[in-house]
Amino acid sequence: MWYSIVSEDVQDSLPLRQKARPEHLARLEALKDEGRLLLAGPNPAVDAENPGDAGFTGSIVIAEFASQEAAQQWADEDPYVAAGVYRGVTVKPFKKVLP
């Protein structure tokens, strides 16, 4: 089943994100290579494709897992969690309808 993983950043998270980004992206690439990633990306802090120093306010990942517990475990092991980027992470089942 698909699960949405919605994460909220701590204030001024950009330096923390930059340090942990390679490991974070490697995990997403692994999901993609396994055909389990629907989409992933950050939420810019300002209305711009590249927010620059404003950074990001969170992230969204929608991916396929065997169970909600497996999705939660994957989210808990995110390098951004270990680096202190996120102040909270919510994992919920997701039903893809469109497109």
Side-chain angles (χ1 to χ4, degrees):
M1 179 165 192
W2 295 107
Y3 293 89
S4 66
I5 302 169
V6 179
S7 306
E8 296 287 330
D9 282 23
V10 298
Q11 194 76 7
D12 302 316
S13 64
L14 188 57
L16 300 171
R17 276 180 169 269
Q18 290 169 331
K19 284 184 183 177
R21 189 168 190 264
E23 295 85 9
H24 172 79
L25 290 179
R27 294 178 82 234
L28 292 169
E29 286 291 338
L31 283 178
K32 182 181 125 193
D33 292 346
E34 294 167 6
R36 297 173 41 210
L37 182 64
L38 183 63
L39 66 88
N43 302 109
V46 295
D47 190 10
E49 181 79 18
N50 181 355
D53 291 341
F56 301 92
T57 61
S59 300
I60 298 171
V61 174
I62 299 178
E64 188 175 33
F65 293 93
S67 66
Q68 188 164 353
E69 292 78 20
Q72 185 68 59
Q73 181 178 352
W74 186 90
D76 291 344
E77 294 171 357
D78 193 310
Y80 279 180
V81 171
V85 172
Y86 296 146
R87 65 178 170 93
V89 178
T90 303
V91 177
K92 293 182 180 182
F94 178 81
K95 182 178 177 184
K96 184 179 183 289
V97 176
L98 293 171

